[in-house]
Amino acid sequence: MNDLLHCWLGLLLLAARSSYAWSATPFNPASVPLAVRSPYVSTWLPQGSGKALNDAWATFYTGGITAWAGFITVDGKPFSFMGTPAADADFEKAVQKSVEITSTQSIYVMTADTVDLTVTFLSPVEPSDLVKQSIPLSYMSLSAVSNDGNTHSVQVYTDISAEWLSPGDGAQPANWTFSDGDVLSHSLSLQNQSNYEENSDMIRHGSIYYSTLNSDSVSYMSGSDKAVRTTFVNSSRLANTQDDNFRNINDNYPVFGYTHDLGDVSDATEPIVMSIGLIREPAVQYIVANNQYQDRSLYFWTQYSSADDLISDFLGDYDNALSRAQDLDDKIKSDAGAISTDYANVVTLSVRQALAAIEITTSKSGDSYDTDDVMIFLKEISSNGNTNTVDVIFPMWPMLMYLNPTLGKYILLPALEYQATGQYPNKYSVHDMGTHYPQAIGHNLGKDEAMPVEECGNMLIMALSYTQKAGDNSLISDYISYFDQWTQFLVDEALVPASQLSTDDFAGHLENQTNLAIKGILGIKAMSEIANTIGDRSTASKYSDIASDYLSQWQDLAASSDGNHVTLNYGNDSSWGLTYNLYADKLLGFNLFPSSLYDQQTAFYKQRGFMYGVPLDSRHTYTKSDWEIWTAAIMSDSSTQDMLISAVASYAANGKNDVPFSDWYETRSGEVSGFRARPVVGGHFALLALDSSSPVASGTTFAASPSATDNSNAGCVLSPPFPFTLLRYLL
Ligand SMILES: *[C@@H]1O[C@H](CO)[C@@H](O)[C@H](O)[C@H]1NC(C)=O
Ligand SMILES: *[C@@H]1O[C@H](CO)[C@@H](O)[C@H](O)[C@H]1NC(C)=O
Ligand SMILES: *[C@@H]1O[C@H](CO)[C@@H](O)[C@H](O)[C@H]1NC(C)=O
Ligand SMILES: *[C@@H]1O[C@H](CO)[C@@H](O)[C@H](O)[C@H]1NC(C)=O
Ligand SMILES: *[C@@H]1O[C@H](CO)[C@@H](O)[C@H](O)[C@H]1NC(C)=O
C-alpha cells in the first residue's frame, strides 16, 4: 500500500469512528483545558473520542477527579450541564451543541430545551504583566439565551468538591470556611498542611477558593454532594447554609455551591462569573548562598495583602481580562494561521498547558516584597516533577520568546544565580534546580541527572537568544564566567560526545550522538557571539574558529556513507534521527551549518513520514511533538514542513487518548507513549519564534513598589526591541 493511500484510509477510518455529536472549533482535542493556570490549578475535561461537558467529571492533569458540577433549571425543569452529578430527584441532561477552543478559552454551548447556556472557561495569559500572570486563578462564566423566541425563567448552579484539594486521594481530612462580603468565597484546605510537599502531584498547602461577586440573585451552600445538589434540583436555589462537620474529602463528599437566578431570559444575559484557584504563601523554596533556603512568594503578593482583595480585583476585572484574552487569541490565531490552519490548531492547544507549568515569584525581606527580584520556576509536569529542568525549559523556549523574551531571563535566573553561589560542584551546567517541585534546593552533591553536553549547550543557546530578542546584555554580562566555563566543557566534550543522556532520556544512553554534537557546536558558536556582544573580540574569534573547525570535522563524522542523511550516532550507517538541534542555528541567526545539509535532511525526512509523523530516531517508531515542530521549522521545503505539522495536528485531534496534550506518541498508531500536560508543548511555537515580527510583548510591568507614593510603576522596564538582525549584517 502506498503512503498516500494508507493516509486516506486512515482518515476515513478516523471519520467513521469519531462520535462527536457537537460542532468543534477548530477541532476536538483529547482533553479540553478548563481551569489551567498553575501546576496546582490544572483541571481538564477528558473528552477523548466524544465525552460532552456533562458526560464526565473534570480531572486534574493526573486523571484524579476534581469534581465541578453544573445544573440549570428552565421554567423549573432541571438539567445537568457539567460533570456527572447525582441527586435524589430527577433531572435531564443538557445537550452539548458546540465547543470552541482558543488560546486562552474553552467555550461550550449546552442546550437545555428552550435555553442555550454558554459556559466559558477563561484561563488568562498575561505575557507583559508579572502580577496578573502570577495569579493562580481561572474564570468560569455563564450566560443564557432563549432559543425559541420566548422568555423563560432560568437559574444556574455550580459547585466544586473538596477533591480539588487532593485529586485521586480522598482519604485526606479537609476543612473549610465561607466569606460573605462584596465577594462570596468558599475556601477549603487540607487539615494536614506542609509548605513544600506534594501528594500525588498536588501541593499539600494553601486553600482552594471558589468565588463569585455577591448580589441579591445569588445563593450558596456547603454540604454533602447529594444534599446540596438535590436542594437545587428540587427548588432552583440553595439554602445559604454551611456544613461545619469537617471530614475526609471522600466522606459524604463535601461540595461548595452557588446558584444565580438569571430571572426571565430572552436575549443573552450578562455573564455571571466565578473564579477558581489555589492560593498559597509561600510558594517555592529556593537555595541561596551558604546552603540557606529562601521562601519565595507568588509575585501578585507584591500588590495584594490578602486573598480576598486579590479575588475581588480578579472578578471585577473579568470584562477587561476577556477583552485582553480575545486580542491575544486573535494575534496567535492570525500569526500561526499565516503558516497553516493545522499549525494554528497545534499552537492554540499548547498555550495554557505550557504556561500552567510556571510560577512567577519574588522574595520577601521582613514584611516587604522585593518587586525587582523576579524568578520564574517551572515544574517538569508528568515526567518526574523536577524544578526548572534546563532541558524542559529549552523545548518550551520558543513560546517564551514569542510571548515576551523577558520571561526567558526570569526562568534562567534560578539556575544561574545558584551556580554563581559556587555550591554546584560539576563543571558542566546543572540539570535542574530540585528533584521535587516546589523545592528548588539545588544539587550541592552534583548528583542531579547528568546531561552534560545537553545542558551546557542549552544554557548558552538560551542566554544568547534572550540577549538578542530582548536587546539586553545584563544576563550574559552578569554570568559570563559560567558561560565561558560551560563553553570550555563543550570544547572538550562536544565533538565526540561520550556515552550520555540527551534530553530524550527515555531513549537511554548513547555514545557519539550526532544531534548532541550539533548542540555542542552551536553552544560554542553562541559563546563566540556572547563574547562579541560584550566586546571581547579575542574570545569571540577563538570560539568562532573552534565552532567552524568542529563543524567541518562533524560533517565527516556524522554523514552516512551513502551521503544521503546524517546518522543518529557516528559510524552507524543505518541509524538516523531528527536533527532538531539545528533549530538553534536558525533561531540565533547563525546559518553556520550549510544549506545543503538542511536540504539533505529535508529530502530524507520526506521519505520517512508515517501517518502521525517522522519517528524521533531509527531505534523506535515513537516521536516527540515538540521536536517534530522544531524540525518542521528548519525544513527547506514547505511541503515537508507542512507534512510534519499536519501529522502533529492529526495526532492532537485523533481522539485516541483523553489526556492533556502528550508530547510523546507513536507515529504509526497515533497513540500516546507516555507523558502529558508538559510545558514542552511551548516548543510548538518554534516557527513563530523565528518570525522576525516582534513578540506579543516586550519588557514587563513590575508591581509598584510598596514604598512608592505615586502611582507610577516603580521598576517598569520597557526596553525597545533591539534590531539585532540588523546588527548581524553590519558586523
Ligand atoms: C427532592 O424532591 C424529591 C422528589 O420530589 C423528594 O423525594 C425529596 O425528598 C426532595 N429532597 C430534598 C432535599 O428536597
Ligand atoms: C483548618 O485546619 C488548619 C490546620 O489544622 C487550621 O490552621 C485552620 O484554621 C482550619 N481552618 C478552618 C476554616 O477551620
Ligand atoms: C501529615 O502529612 C505528613 C506528610 O506530609 C505525614 O507524614 C503525616 O502522617 C500526616 N499527618 C496526619 C495526621 O495525617
Ligand atoms: C565515537 O566516535 C569516535 C570518533 O569517530 C570513535 O573514535 C569512537 O570509536 C566512536 N565510539 C563508538 C562506540 O563508536
Ligand atoms: C545502529 O543503529 C540501529 C538503529 O538505530 C540500531 O538498532 C543499532 O543497534 C545500531 N548499531 C550500533 C552498533 O550502534
Side-chain angles (χ1 to χ4, degrees):
M1 204 185 325
N2 77 35
D3 280 357
L4 195 62
L5 185 58
H6 183 91
C7 277
W8 279 111
L9 282 176
L11 287 173
L12 285 174
L13 284 172
L14 198 66
R17 208 194 48 242
S18 122
S19 53
Y20 303 103
W22 50 83
S23 72
T25 310
F27 73 108
N28 275 296
S31 192
V32 180
L34 300 182
V36 177
R37 272 228 93 181
S38 90
Y40 306 120
V41 181
S42 185
T43 280
W44 303 71
L45 182 76
Q47 174 176 266
S49 58
K51 291 231 165 59
L53 184 61
N54 56 358
D55 284 337
W57 283 121
T59 64
F60 192 45
Y61 69 77
T62 56
I65 289 173
T66 45
W68 201 352
F71 288 107
I72 179 172
T73 48
V74 177
D75 300 327
K77 186 176 170 188
F79 300 81
S80 68
F81 72 83
M82 179 162 57
T84 59
D88 289 327
D90 292 338
F91 59 87
E92 291 181 17
K93 280 173 76 178
V95 175
Q96 184 167 318
K97 190 172 170 184
S98 63
V99 62
E100 178 182 357
I101 312 291
T102 72
S103 290
T104 61
Q105 303 171 71
S106 301
I107 306 160
Y108 288 88
V109 176
M110 306 297 292
T111 300
D113 275 2
T114 51
V115 164
D116 285 354
L117 181 70
T118 298
V119 189
T120 301
F121 298 91
L122 165 61
S123 294
V125 171
E126 308 271 10
S128 64
D129 190 318
L130 297 174
V131 170
K132 288 194 165 64
Q133 181 58 39
S134 73
I135 298 173
L137 298 172
S138 189
Y139 296 105
M140 173 172 61
S141 77
L142 302 172
S143 166
V145 64
S146 166
N147 64 27
D148 69 350
N150 296 321
T151 296
H152 302 282
S153 169
V154 176
Q155 294 77 35
V156 290
Y157 165 96
T158 66
D159 74 46
I160 61 160
S161 77
E163 288 160 293
W164 282 71
L165 292 169
S166 179
D169 178 7
Q172 301 283 331
N175 63 10
W176 50 86
T177 183
F178 180 73
S179 69
D180 179 354
D182 292 345
V183 171
L184 304 180
S185 262
H186 290 289
S187 69
L188 26 151
S189 323
L190 290 178
Q191 288 186 26
N192 184 7
Q193 299 249 327
S194 177
N195 283 7
Y196 300 123
E197 278 178 63
E198 293 180 339
N199 178 20
S200 304
D201 277 304
M202 186 62 190
I203 194 73
R204 307 183 49 89
H205 179 210
S207 304
I208 295 279
Y209 287 82
Y210 191 48
S211 315
T212 193
L213 292 175
N214 202 351
S215 82
D216 291 345
S217 61
V218 182
S219 61
Y220 63 86
M221 188 172 171
S222 63
S224 77
D225 53 346
K226 276 284 184 62
V228 178
R229 291 165 186 165
T230 302
T231 301
F232 178 79
V233 171
N234 271 4
S235 66
S236 300
R237 56 173 289 117
L238 291 174
N240 293 336
T241 54
Q242 285 299 313
D243 175 343
D244 53 15
N245 172 26
F246 299 148
R247 58 187 183 271
N248 278 2
I249 289 165
N250 60 5
D251 176 3
N252 282 306
Y253 291 91
V255 304
F256 306 87
Y258 295 111
T259 64
H260 293 76
D261 186 350
L262 304 183
D264 292 331
V265 171
S266 51
D267 295 340
T269 58
E270 282 296 305
I272 59 108
V273 183
M274 267 76 61
S275 70
I276 178 90
L278 181 130
I279 296 176
R280 66 197 207 279
E281 162 69 353
V284 171
Q285 185 177 41
Y286 178 63
I287 184 169
V288 292
N290 303 315
N291 204 20
Q292 298 296 299
Y293 293 169
Q294 178 189 65
D295 292 323
R296 297 189 64 89
S297 308
L298 294 181
Y299 196 78
F300 71 80
W301 288 111
T302 56
Q303 204 80 322
Y304 294 98
S305 53
S306 73
D308 286 347
D309 288 350
L310 174 74
I311 292 166
S312 172
D313 258 22
F314 185 76
L315 285 169
D317 190 42
Y318 178 73
D319 290 346
N320 292 327
L322 182 62
S323 122
R324 289 193 301 275
Q326 286 165 341
D327 288 349
L328 182 66
D329 291 346
D330 290 347
K331 171 150 175 68
I332 292 174
K333 188 177 171 188
S334 121
D335 289 354
I339 289 157
S340 72
T341 303
D342 279 343
Y343 186 59
N345 292 355
V346 169
V347 158
T348 295
L349 186 60
S350 307
V351 178
R352 282 171 282 177
Q353 172 168 324
L355 281 176
I358 68 169
E359 298 194 290
I360 303 176
T361 69
T362 183
S363 60
K364 196 176 185 180
S365 63
D367 284 340
S368 63
Y369 294 94
D370 180 354
T371 53
D372 297 335
D373 175 15
V374 187
M375 285 187 179
I376 294 181
F377 291 88
L378 165 143
K379 179 172 178 182
E380 186 185 337
I381 286 177
S382 134
S383 29
N384 67 9
N386 286 176
T387 304
N388 280 42
T389 312
V390 174
D391 61 286
V392 169
I393 296 171
F394 186 71
M396 88 174 290
W397 187 257
M399 183 180 80
L400 298 177
M401 292 306 98
Y402 171 77
L403 287 179
N404 184 352
T406 306
L407 301 174
K409 172 177 178 171
Y410 298 140
I411 204 169
L412 295 181
L413 278 177
L416 287 168
E417 277 286 290
Y418 166 58
Q419 288 169 98
T421 66
Q423 295 171 97
Y424 183 67
N426 298 320
K427 54 184 192 278
Y428 50 82
S429 162
V430 74
H431 166 270
D432 64 79
M433 278 307 301
T435 306
H436 299 290
Y437 199 84
Q439 298 175 24
I441 57 176
H443 291 279
N444 290 357
L445 300 177
K447 296 262 175 29
D448 46 322
E449 185 178 8
M451 294 184 186
V453 170
E454 174 78 47
E455 310 302 23
C456 289
N458 290 344
M459 289 302 287
L460 287 156
I461 290 164
M462 290 190 286
L464 178 60
S465 169
Y466 165 73
T467 306
Q468 292 181 344
K469 295 269 187 190
D472 169 23
N473 294 352
S474 66
L475 200 69
I476 55 174
S477 307
D478 290 351
Y479 303 99
I480 189 74
S481 60
Y482 295 90
F483 294 126
D484 196 63
Q485 174 186 319
W486 298 328
T487 307
Q488 287 171 35
F489 182 85
L490 291 178
V491 169
D492 293 342
E493 300 289 337
L495 180 60
V496 183
S499 176
Q500 63 194 287
L501 297 176
S502 78
T503 183
D504 305 308
D505 55 358
F506 47 85
H509 285 72
L510 186 65
E511 196 168 324
N512 286 343
Q513 295 181 59
T514 306
N515 190 41
L516 207 46
I518 294 173
K519 179 167 287 174
I521 293 167
L522 288 169
I524 296 167
K525 179 70 177 172
M527 182 63 200
S528 161
E529 191 59 29
I530 286 171
N532 205 18
T533 306
I534 59 171
D536 180 352
R537 296 301 151 102
S538 70
T539 302
S541 74
K542 175 179 78 178
Y543 287 133
S544 178
D545 290 348
I546 295 173
S548 300
D549 173 41
Y550 281 13
L551 170 59
S552 65
Q553 294 189 58
W554 176 89
Q555 284 179 279
D556 291 337
L557 290 166
S560 62
S561 52
D562 61 8
N564 82 348
H565 69 281
V566 300
T567 59
L568 174 69
N569 52 324
Y570 298 162
N572 184 347
D573 263 346
S574 64
S575 73
W576 55 273
L578 296 179
T579 48
Y580 55 81
N581 281 327
L582 287 171
Y583 174 73
D585 193 26
K586 298 293 177 197
L587 179 70
L588 299 174
F590 294 152
N591 296 311
L592 181 68
F593 288 72
S595 63
S596 58
L597 177 74
Y598 290 92
D599 295 344
Q600 168 200 295
Q601 293 301 93
T602 302
F604 185 77
Y605 298 139
K606 201 185 191 95
Q607 305 302 319
R608 296 239 159 9
F610 291 114
M611 182 160 172
Y612 297 105
V614 177
L616 179 62
D617 62 50
S618 48
R619 291 169 291 182
H620 309 272
T621 52
Y622 58 57
T623 198
K624 294 278 278 77
S625 66
D626 46 352
W627 302 142
E628 201 83 357
I629 300 291
W630 278 45
T631 305
I634 57 167
M635 292 294 90
S636 45
D637 81 49
S638 61
S639 70
T640 312
Q641 179 174 90
D642 289 345
M643 176 191 92
L644 288 163
I645 291 169
S646 296
V648 174
S650 307
Y651 154 70
N654 74 12
K656 290 187 169 190
N657 71 85
D658 63 2
V659 301
F661 207 136
S662 171
D663 51 299
W664 182 24
Y665 68 90
E666 279 291 334
T667 54
R668 289 193 290 195
S669 68
E671 280 168 9
V672 167
S673 301
F675 302 163
R676 59 178 67 174
R678 299 204 322 149
V680 302
V681 298
H684 299 155
F685 279 78
L687 283 83
L688 292 178
L690 291 185
D691 198 327
S692 54
S693 64
S694 43
V696 170
S698 63
T700 47
T701 307
F702 284 67
S705 110
S707 57
T709 48
D710 64 8
N711 63 357
S712 68
N713 290 322
C716 188
V717 177
L718 288 171
S719 40
F722 189 77
F724 260 88
T725 322
L726 186 61
L727 186 64
R728 272 197 304 277
Y729 291 119
L730 293 175
L731 286 173

